[in-house]
Amino acid sequence: MDFEYTDDQDSLREAARALLTKAYGDYGKRRAVTQADPGYSTETWSRLAELGGLGLPFSEEDGGAGAGWIEAAVVAQELGRVVAPEPYVVSVGLAGRLVADAGTAEQRAEVLGAIASGERLVAVAHDEPGRRWSPTAGDTKATQDGEGWTIEGVKEPVVQGGVADLFVVSAVLPEGGTGLFLVEGDASGVERESFPAADGGRVARVTFTAATAVPLGSAGENRTATIATALDTARILAANEAVGIMEVALRMTTEYLKSRKQFGVTLNTFQALTFRAADMYVSLELATSITQWATMVLEDGDAAAISAAARRVALQVSRAGRHIGQEAIQLHGGIGMTAEYAVGAYTTRLTTLDHLFGDGTYALGALADGVGGYDAVDPLS
Amino acid sequence: MQLQLSDEDREFRATMREFFTTKVPQEIRDKVAEGRELSKEDIVASQKALNDAGYAVPHWPVQYGGQDWTQLQRHIWNEEMQAASVPPPLAFNTSMIGPVLAQFGSDELKERFLAPTASLDIWWSQGFSEPDAGSDLASLRTRAVKDGDDWVVNGQKTWTTLGQYGDWIFTLVRTDPDVKKQAGISMLLIDMTLPGVEVRPIELIDGGHEVNEVWFTDVRVPGDMLVGEVNQGWTIAKFLLGNERVGVAPVGSTKRNLARAKRLAQESGLLSDPLYAARVAELENELLALELTALRVVANSAEGAPHPASSVLKLKGTVLQQAVSELLVDVAGPQSVGGDGWGARSTPTYLNLRKASIYGGSNEVQRQIIAKTILGL
């Protein structure tokens, strides 16, 4: 039992922090980047690739760094600390995991290598209008056409779908079940409309009309379980990003309480406010503990253990993110409402992270369903 | 980062589990599991069983009966003890005065008191709080005046838990009224059978008699019953209260009680109500996060020094302890109003546990500590 990062992991954190502080340490730079398309910095993305940050969880034969998910989580935390708009969790965590788990050796080498080197941005086209975090596709259909396959349907929201070079698309198979496919961003029959997202990033509605698709892995296989594990992976990485965000949101809030004067004294003179900050710290500590645990489960565990840990971390971090995000704005007062002051961006990003892969209520529903099946929860068994 | 326990710690856990579930009398553990009141004899018998095996005071210095365990092993010891429904060793003896005597006591005091304190042959009471000195402990007014070799003590202590069983009481007394309030306090050990010591029960909202007032009227205490130096009492008290906060989140027993509430809700069919199932799931998750936080604290805390986050454990630990007792009253429903079954016992337990967020530094004091010492506010 050990919650400490290794020296290598600490060095990775330092390198990532240095890079990201240079990019976004001044919040004005982050704002400028999100105001222009594509809503993130391709330069920072390349730097992250050069650092090895984009290939951390992938094996070396697939072009990755051969590290692991704990290392990816370290980078996610650092991205959170400066509320960086780069699509790390969806590209590395979600798309990367899908390809790593479902792809052929050739596809893994090609796609994961391209993700790791920063050459290609890979987006996941899975969500569909009206659906909520299901591991299956709904109205998007895959059709076999001789040797080839085509996809028909609408995916939304697709994070960075407007500029993605490649899509991993989920679609209902002719025989039932949900398959996974690769579709080139510039393939015919792919239409995309990009929108600014609530958190400053970009999301797209991607319409596939008889778009040419290549099965990911062997053709016609039901990949529902693979998708579920990838969503769990993304949720745990997102929790790490959220922990980085919450830490800084709390720090910004305490700094503000110490410096801002009202009625002739600094705000930390008022116990009503300091007690609320103390409760934020309690939320942060509990969320950090469960996130570190879930990350270790992600690194070591089987799919069932990862699924259980993802639900638990989703619930705890959802609650903590809302508590800390809302209080951060409230304790800042009016300045917290402004776009030019950073704290609002932190809360905004927490809100979108909460809703990308399944929020607290969704996780609680799943946990409550199974609650009669065991005696007590033991993290060490 | 490493999720699993080491083989050594895993083996240690198995040893503890085996010991607690086989060597402490079953009828005592059943009482704890069912939330029934323990007698003095139960508490003494349980602690003696632990002490005979060397498990009553593992955190004491080795020469006085302690074990050279890691923080994690102490944590496992505590959790397994709670999980097995074993009454914890009497805190006044093992967490409070024992470590204080080992650290500050004269050789005579160590020789005389440490062994019977560990074995519970002496039952200690805590004489700190006074009617006007609760969270603001330094405001205490009980006075000790030197008269020849003796101290003459006058004043009143309150909230003296289980004082009706006490043989001795460790007290904070004012020995110099003319200096800054923290600087004029000393610690005295007082034999509760001395003339002028009177224990008066306080009845609480749960109907039980757990706390007392202790009155001192011209009590003559021999001079050698002073712990440490004159007017060093505040330093000693801070040492003692720092120890008190360690292991203050009763994760093991709260987990056991939640599992019990769940089992009872399942038996009555209540768990199929999604609202109850969600309440259980939410509490289980918070408890998991708390347990992991406790593990982080023990895994990362420097030897001996309380981790700054221990206030988080106290605060959240008592909130969850109370929430689980609240769940159990709700599960009992109308049966909680009265009778002789588990349902009827749930109400006094729920009411009794309101104390948890008040004692040991109220949760408001913990928020103050977090705000000041951790957040720098």
Side-chain angles (χ1 to χ4, degrees), chain B residues 32-93:
Chain B
V32 173
E34 292 159 20
R36 286 185 282 146
E37 201 178 336
L38 295 173
S39 68
K40 178 181 180 182
E41 290 68 34
D42 292 333
I43 296 170
V44 172
S46 171
Q47 182 158 334
K48 283 195 178 301
L50 263 55
N51 195 52
D52 290 346
Y55 297 156
V57 291
H59 51 290
W60 286 16
V62 173
Q63 73 259 43
Y64 305 122
Q67 302 275 358
D68 197 13
W69 286 346
T70 62
Q71 295 280 344
L72 178 58
Q73 286 173 322
R74 283 184 205 170
H75 175 86
I76 291 170
W77 164 79
N78 195 39
E79 293 300 308
E80 290 299 327
M81 185 164 60
Q82 292 180 23
S85 302
V86 171
L90 191 69
F92 310 111
N93 284 43

Side-chain angles (χ1 to χ4, degrees), chain A residues 1-5 258 268 271 275 279 281 285 289 293 296 312 319 364 371-372 374-375 377 379, chain B residues 1-4 255 259 262 266 282 284-285 288 291 293 296 300 312 364 367-368 374 376-377:
Chain A
M1 191 81 215
D2 176 12
F3 285 81
E4 300 278 284
Y5 293 93
K258 283 190 274 188
N268 64 331
Q271 194 176 55
F275 274 25
D279 284 337
Y281 179 77
E285 280 295 305
S289 304
W293 166 77
M296 291 189 264
R312 296 201 170 279
R319 296 280 191 267
L364 180 58
V371 84
Y374 54 89
D375 188 39
V377 184
Chain B
M1 294 179 106
Q2 171 65 44
L3 193 56
Q4 280 76 31
K255 228 164 122 168
K262 183 161 86 170
Q266 204 159 19
E282 189 125 24
E284 281 183 342
N285 220 50
L288 170 66
E291 180 173 4
T293 304
R296 261 174 75 213
N300 301 350
V312 171
E364 287 66 37
R367 285 188 178 88
Q368 185 78 1
I374 301 178
L377 290 173

Side-chain angles (χ1 to χ4, degrees), chain B residues 12 52 55-56 60 102 133 174 184 225 234 243 264 289-290 294 297 303 311 327 362 375:
Chain B
F12 178 84
D52 290 346
Y55 297 156
W60 286 16
R174 189 158 300 283
M225 289 299 118
W234 191 247
N243 288 333
L264 291 163
L290 181 73
V297 167
E303 193 59 35
S311 284
L327 174 69
S362 73
L375 301 180

Side-chain angles (χ1 to χ4, degrees), chain A residues 10-381:
Chain A
D10 280 335
S11 305
L12 171 68
R13 181 188 300 287
E14 275 171 38
R17 187 172 294 185
L19 190 164
L20 290 163
T21 304
K22 204 171 163 207
Y24 298 119
D26 168 7
Y27 173 67
K29 290 188 190 166
R30 193 265 183 192
R31 219 180 148 216
V33 164
T34 55
Q35 276 169 342
D37 282 338
Y40 73 99
S41 159
T42 50
E43 190 192 332
T44 302
W45 193 248
S46 303
R47 295 243 162 91
L48 274 170
E50 284 161 27
L51 181 76
L54 303 186
L56 288 165
F58 314 132
S59 70
E60 290 182 46
E61 26 321 350
D62 294 342
W69 292 107
I70 293 175
E71 285 75 8
V74 165
V75 173
Q77 286 170 24
E78 293 307 316
L79 288 155
R81 284 199 174 88
V82 292
V83 67
E86 278 65 31
Y88 188 79
V89 172
V90 291
S91 303
V92 176
L94 194 56
R97 177 99 207 197
L98 288 171
V99 174
D101 287 359
T104 62
E106 202 176 310
Q107 285 171 330
R108 289 201 310 269
E110 190 194 321
V111 179
L112 297 179
I115 291 176
S117 66
E119 246 170 85
R120 307 190 87 195
L121 186 72
V122 185
V124 175
H126 174 63
D127 284 332
E128 296 178 27
R131 290 176 69 80
R132 294 172 72 83
W133 308 306
S134 165
T136 61
D139 294 330
T140 303
K141 312 273 190 243
T143 309
Q144 191 162 15
D145 180 10
E147 287 294 289
W149 289 75
T150 56
I151 303 270
E152 193 84 24
V154 179
K155 295 289 188 175
E156 181 181 12
V158 179
V159 174
Q160 286 301 353
V163 295
D165 301 294
L166 182 68
F167 292 103
V168 179
V169 188
S170 62
V172 177
L173 294 166
E175 309 287 312
T178 297
L180 286 171
F181 297 86
L182 295 173
V183 176
E184 292 292 332
D186 57 7
S188 68
V190 175
E191 229 181 296
R192 32 190 169 173
E193 190 179 359
S194 185
F195 305 92
D199 60 11
R202 301 292 183 274
V203 292
R205 178 189 304 134
V206 185
T207 308
F208 298 96
T209 312
T212 305
V214 176
L216 187 62
S218 52
E221 201 169 327
N222 182 7
R223 297 290 187 183
T224 304
T226 311
I227 297 168
T229 300
L231 287 171
D232 291 335
T233 302
R235 182 66 250 181
I236 294 170
L237 277 192
N240 279 278
E241 187 178 333
V243 163
I245 294 172
M246 290 188 285
E247 246 184 75
V248 176
L250 174 58
R251 193 169 69 223
M252 288 166 73
T253 305
T254 56
E255 294 302 320
Y256 189 75
L257 291 176
K258 283 190 274 188
S259 59
R260 166 74 165 160
K261 280 190 174 174
Q262 293 277 268
F263 307 104
V265 290
T266 52
L267 289 179
N268 64 331
T269 321
F270 301 102
Q271 194 176 55
L273 306 183
T274 61
F275 274 25
R276 290 170 74 162
D279 284 337
M280 291 164 76
Y281 179 77
V282 173
S283 283
L284 171 64
E285 280 295 305
L286 264 58
T288 302
S289 304
I290 205 165
T291 299
Q292 291 191 2
W293 166 77
T295 307
M296 291 189 264
V297 174
L298 174 62
E299 180 65 38
D300 288 357
D302 59 18
I306 292 170
S307 163
R311 285 169 185 181
R312 296 201 170 279
V313 80
L315 173 56
Q316 198 71 25
V317 172
S318 173
R319 296 280 191 267
R322 291 175 190 210
H323 174 214
I324 292 172
Q326 290 165 9
E327 290 288 79
I329 291 180
Q330 178 67 24
L331 295 184
H332 272 85
I335 190 85
M337 293 295 298
T338 65
E340 77 181 77
Y341 191 82
V343 81
Y346 281 74
T347 302
T348 309
R349 181 63 183 157
L350 284 172
T351 308
T352 56
L353 278 178
D354 192 18
H355 293 99
L356 274 174
F357 315 110
D359 68 3
T361 307
Y362 179 78
L364 180 58
L367 290 169
D369 271 350
V371 84
Y374 54 89
D375 188 39
V377 184
D378 187 354
L380 293 180
S381 63

Side-chain angles (χ1 to χ4, degrees), chain B residues 157-160 200-204 208-213:
Chain B
K157 295 291 176 182
T158 193
W159 309 130
T160 309
R200 299 180 193 166
I202 302 172
E203 196 186 334
L204 295 183
H209 167 205
E210 186 178 61
V211 291
N212 304 269
E213 293 175 346

Side-chain angles (χ1 to χ4, degrees), chain B residues 94 118 136 162 190 198 275 312 323 345:
Chain B
T94 63
D136 180 16
L162 301 178
I190 302 178
E198 192 196 346
L275 285 177
V312 171
R345 283 196 303 277

